Amino acid sequence: MRIRTTTAVVAGVSSLALLTGCGAADMTKQASPFANAQGAKTVTLSVQSWVGAQANVAVAQYLLEHELGYRVDTVQVDEIPAWDALSQGRVDAIMEDWGHPDQEERYVKDKRTIVPGGDLGVTGHIGWYVPTYFAKKHPDVTDWKNLDKYADRMRTAESGGKGQLMDGSPSYVTNDKALVKNLDLDYQVVFAGSEAAQITQIKQFAKAEKPFLTYWYEPQWLFKKVPMTEVKLPAYKEGCDANPEKVACAYPHTPLQKYLNADFARSGGDAAALLKKFKWTIEDQNEVSLMIAEQKLSPEAAAKKWADSHESTWKSWLS
């Protein structure tokens, strides 16, 4: 998926503020001057392109800077390349991972260059959603077996005569092309290109009260603005998604995890300790995400506002 502030001394901060827009540069190959800097009070955090991940990083960065006196850098890296960057020490931590067993096997179990950083406290879930205003009028649309009945209502100029299933970025965790094929549905997966572009499209559909089918995920602040109802896909069973080309089941519910560079986990001092203890709720993340994406606060301002009103939560991360 999923796993997106400001003092004068922070390099890379301006790039974080840009990530809510389309076409943010992929900085996968960028080596932060702060990453894995032995003995220095510096931290580099990987930031993914969805706003929930921005919220995690914004709050972690704010506390590292203002409570512990660290210098923080952020680097935008897509989900899979982020593991390589973390292994090499180009970033020190990933704050939100949606489940990458192949990478975990390679870097955590085999190479041992990455270590688990603990549960984020948030359970993620990817699914297919229709707007609730359409589901209320057509309740059967929430069963995948009835989707073809509404394919003509979901057509767009981009879907080639079929119904449109809108996805976000091709870099996100998605089985949608295989699902459409294996469930023999009259739909075409169309990528909006980014979370921000997908949100814009969803808002446009909702304003006109048009039906749509979209790949979407929880936690996500947009549900508060555009209520959506999940379409029931064939039930998820352990291993049903093992072969990416044969997937014909729903997405799992995934407790989101943090990962740390192994050297940083050992020598990162108070910063590593804080990131390991960082654990909050879906409501916390959505609160900060909403401030960043909808209220247009800077990530630092959103993090400060949240921190000011949730001291009892984050104080325990410092102990």
Side-chain angles (χ1 to χ4, degrees):
M1 295 290 160
R2 31 104 194 225
I3 198 325
R4 274 187 36 220
T5 355
T6 58
T7 62
V9 298
V10 181
V13 170
S14 59
S15 66
L16 177 57
L18 295 175
L19 297 179
T20 55
C22 306
D26 183 359
M27 300 168 70
T28 300
K29 301 302 182 182
Q30 173 176 316
S32 165
F34 303 146
N36 206 17
Q38 300 297 319
K41 292 196 70 171
T42 58
V43 180
T44 299
L45 300 177
S46 169
V47 57
Q48 283 83 23
S49 60
W50 56 91
V51 72
Q54 287 184 52
N56 303 323
V57 171
V59 171
Q61 180 169 357
Y62 181 82
L63 295 174
L64 286 166
E65 292 171 1
H66 295 276
E67 295 296 324
L68 297 179
Y70 279 80
R71 190 173 181 175
V72 180
D73 188 25
T74 60
V75 179
Q76 182 187 355
V77 192
D78 284 340
E79 288 184 80
I80 299 299
W83 282 80
D84 186 54
L86 187 62
S87 174
Q88 295 178 18
R90 288 187 281 126
V91 298
D92 295 317
I94 295 172
M95 296 299 294
E96 179 176 309
D97 182 77
W98 282 67
H100 292 92
D102 291 346
Q103 309 304 314
E104 187 176 353
E105 181 75 25
R106 179 181 181 185
Y107 292 116
V108 177
K109 296 181 181 179
D110 293 344
K111 300 183 73 173
R112 298 184 182 181
T113 51
I114 294 175
V115 298
D119 191 342
L120 179 63
V122 174
T123 296
H125 175 60
I126 297 167
W128 291 1
Y129 291 84
V130 293
T132 300
Y133 56 75
F134 189 73
K136 286 181 177 179
K137 294 180 180 178
H138 307 278
D140 62 336
V141 75
T142 60
D143 186 329
W144 72 270
K145 295 177 182 178
N146 299 318
L147 284 175
D148 277 358
K149 177 179 175 182
Y150 299 98
D152 61 333
R153 305 280 298 273
M154 309 292 188
R155 287 175 186 163
T156 67
E158 293 77 27
S159 61
K162 298 184 176 184
Q164 174 178 279
L165 169 56
M166 180 168 54
D167 274 45
S169 168
S171 70
Y172 293 171
V173 172
T174 176
N175 300 325
D176 284 1
K177 287 186 176 181
L179 280 168
V180 167
K181 178 182 177 182
N182 296 329
L183 296 178
D184 194 25
L185 294 173
D186 188 27
Y187 283 78
Q188 176 72 37
V189 176
V190 177
F191 290 97
S194 68
E195 181 186 70
Q198 194 174 5
I199 287 172
T200 297
Q201 186 65 71
I202 289 172
K203 284 183 172 181
Q204 289 174 350
F205 282 133
K207 186 176 181 180
E209 291 200 359
K210 291 183 178 180
F212 61 85
L213 176 65
T214 188
Y215 163 108
W216 206 232
Y217 37 86
E218 299 179 273
Q220 231 296 332
W221 63 271
L222 187 64
F223 285 108
K224 294 182 179 294
K225 298 294 181 179
V226 182
M228 288 181 270
T229 302
E230 186 171 6
V231 174
K232 293 180 181 178
L233 293 170
Y236 176 84
K237 295 180 181 179
E238 190 69 31
C240 69
D241 54 355
N243 187 329
E245 295 182 0
K246 295 184 179 180
V247 177
C249 61
Y251 293 87
H253 287 78
T254 305
L256 305 183
Q257 302 296 311
K258 300 165 293 174
Y259 288 93
L260 276 58
N261 172 272
D263 290 338
F264 172 74
R266 287 189 293 266
S267 61
D270 291 341
L274 182 149
L275 297 180
K276 290 174 184 177
K277 293 178 181 178
F278 187 112
K279 187 174 183 178
W280 61 354
T281 66
I282 288 176
E283 291 73 23
D284 289 325
Q285 189 186 85
N286 280 339
E287 183 179 343
V288 178
S289 297
L290 184 65
M291 286 189 278
I292 294 172
E294 185 71 6
Q295 299 173 15
K296 305 305 181 184
L297 271 66
S298 70
E300 184 186 39
K304 181 181 187 303
K305 189 171 182 179
W306 180 88
D308 287 346
S309 59
H310 295 79
E311 187 171 341
S312 60
T313 299
W314 59 260
K315 275 289 186 181
S316 63
W317 306 343
L318 304 179
S319 59

